[in-house]
Amino acid sequence: MAIPRLTRSGWIYYSVVVAAGLLALTWAVHDLVVHYALLDTNLVFLVALTILGVFATIRVPALPVTLSVAEAFFFMIVLLYGAGAGTLVVALEALVIWWRLVRKGNPATKIIFTLCANSVAMALGGWLFFALAPIPPLASGTFDKSQVASLIPPLMTLAAVYFLLSSWLVAVAIAFERHALSVKVWWDNFAWLFFNYLGAASLALLFVVYVPLANPIFLLVIGPPIVLLYLTYATTTKRVQEAKNHLESLNSLYLATIETLATAIDAKDQVTHGHIRRVQQLAVSLAKALGLDDEQLIKAIEAASLLHDMGKLAVPDYILNKPGPLTPTEFEKMKLHASVGADILSSIRFPYPVVPIVRHHHENWDGSGYPDGLVGNSIPVGARILSVVDCFDALTSDRPYRPRLSDEAALQIILQRRGAMYDPEVVDKFFSIHGELVAGFADMPARPAALAAITEAANPVPDQSHLRFEEIAASSEEMLTLYEIARAVGGPFNFEDAAAVIARHLRRLIPSTYCVFFAYDERTDELYAAHAAGDASGAFAGLRISLGQRLTGWVGANRQTILNSDPVLDLGESARVMRPPLRSCLSTPLVADTVLVGVLTLYSGTKNAFNENHCRIIEAVSRQVAGTLRKALEFESQKKSSLRDDLTGLPSIERLRYITENSPDSAGSEQDGASIILVDVDFFREINQRLGRSAGDRILSIVAATLRRNLQGTELLFRSTSDEFVIFLARTDRESAERRARSLRAAIVQAQIASPVGARHISVSVAVASVPADGTSMEMALSVAERRLHSALSPGSSPNGSSSVH
């Protein structure tokens, strides 16, 4: 028994049993004193045999319980020397077991409990024996062998009481620890031992009455039965363990097969992907909370939760993945999945009742469900549980035609359906523990590549490369507009300009309130609003949507167009407070050469504002402009990264080169004299290697901030290589630059930036070069400074051991 896992009730039970055991041991000592005159060498002999029996213990399968063949000796000692002696020997056996098990790391609390439980059982059983057979202990020598038959009922009572009380006390303790039903624990693991105890009691009576203990023949006579008893124990427990292992192996195989099949089916349905995993976790937890302790039923719920949507194999893909409400005809086809799934599974011989749960998980409490219209308790309890958690997960998950509901809103809907669709008892229990159930969700593991392939194969992106603009343009105006778009984005441009041109022409073909271009950011796996056209388009500024989330994220992840969905999926309730309130949207992916560029979404204040013709037009436009927009984004990204450092926010060394090559002032500065200071962070490579790049980035950010604070006048700071900075000093000779270099290095030292490796604080090495002293251009001066710095940092030299400037 693991004490920290016990509930308050378990603690009370443990304490009561231990207290009763101590009282039994106290009474046993008193009883032993009363019969002290009977003690002899035979008692020592029996105690020794009892201790030897401890070393022939057998482990009960699947339980922290051991059995020994010492029961026959316990009963002999009770018959010969009284109940007190038997109780104390039982306690002595527990202490010997404690000595053996504590050395193996077993907690002493288990042994204390077992000692006290067995002591209570033996004390009560021995007391009843002598109460039913009013004779003194047989060691007194007053017993007549002709009275043996009269001892059999009291002896069987002793054996029964000792077995039942000791086994039940332990079974209840295990039930408290494992939160199981004590009756089931006892029946599954202890009931089969009862006749072994009766056999041990019979052997004890025969040997005590007919075989002198002091005679060496005793060992020859008692040995074979005891060995036979041990072998019976061992063989029985081994067979039980083998059968249990076989069942567990079969069950694991069933569940593994079920899980693989169900997950593959789940991958086919893009709209509800991951649904069955969550439903399984909720359903099994709710079943246990309702007190369902039938292991077969729990396993059935566990399997049915995975397989309840098996019938979706018979539902067309366009219905499963439809990004909108189903029509009545489509819903009738969807309803077939319950009965079809049950029919498919009925050919499998499950060891537990899976098929009824799958067939009836859409039945309603009032009889209005499908497929059979069952009412109330005639619906299998597993199906009643599954229907509640299935609904909760559906309501709290995003759908292309509506956003996910909060837990509170979903619970209110379930409450409204209580007694009509759902079992009131199941709903009430779900309400009381839903917080714990949802909080216990583990992060869903990533889908294996094979399942992702199933999803892609089941829902391929249509190959529409063969379509021409003529085929999707319904009028000459549409043809002209599409031609103008293609021509407008064909030349040099940036993303903002291209998106503005596309939006202007597209809104002529498809009336909309807003036209928003979402660009895909691969680093953050998000779509961000890169351009928005409309009267109040500023409302979209800064909007970012994770890929796969909300409506636009779903379109980007699945690369499918969605028609007339609710803008609330993207914008939340702000879609309703905008003027005009947004009521529908049309969204299509921007894909170039299988690479996701972004998503183009049109929003309208009119409900169902878009039609199939609009859908074809926007898809054609997206195919035409996606490649161009991709090039624009790549160009802007390269331009941005080449001129500014993202980590420190400093301009890059390329910016310095651009300035010195193109600025008239800088050309004059070179003629009048200019200098650069090259700053290198000491031990930076070691920091990156030992602590990772994030630690190095923190150091660079702090050094950059310190240098920036100490700049003077027209000095400019740039980021060079990974661990170097460059300071440009206009109209400054080398001597003045060296003084500034020493000053800046001292500022770094005074800042006392903590170093994670090497020295106590971060330090820098510096090198200076000037124009025209070290070359006729700034590029030449940079090369000279690099050589001086790297020469100073060559092997064998200290990076910061000298105060000189190189």
Side-chain angles (χ1 to χ4, degrees), residues 665-729:
D665 290 341
S666 66
S669 296
E670 291 186 5
Q671 294 171 4
D672 297 337
S675 298
I676 60 168
I677 302 173
L678 196 59
V679 180
D680 180 271
V681 179
D682 298 332
F683 302 110
F684 186 75
R685 180 177 296 179
E686 185 179 356
I687 292 172
N688 270 346
Q689 289 176 345
R690 289 179 53 185
L691 301 179
R693 184 169 180 176
S694 59
D697 287 348
R698 288 195 299 271
I699 295 299
L700 288 176
S701 298
I702 297 172
V703 170
T706 305
L707 290 173
R708 187 186 287 116
R709 286 196 303 269
N710 287 274
L711 293 179
Q712 296 180 354
T714 60
E715 296 174 352
L716 299 176
L717 179 61
F718 300 87
R719 173 80 184 274
S720 182
T721 60
S722 63
D723 59 345
E724 292 179 359
F725 300 90
V726 174
I727 302 169
F728 175 73
L729 301 86

Side-chain angles (χ1 to χ4, degrees), residues 21 24-25 87 90-91 114-124 162:
L25 290 172
T87 302
V90 165
T114 304
L115 184 152
C116 293
N118 289 352
S119 297
V120 170
M122 182 57 77
L124 181 59
Y162 177 61

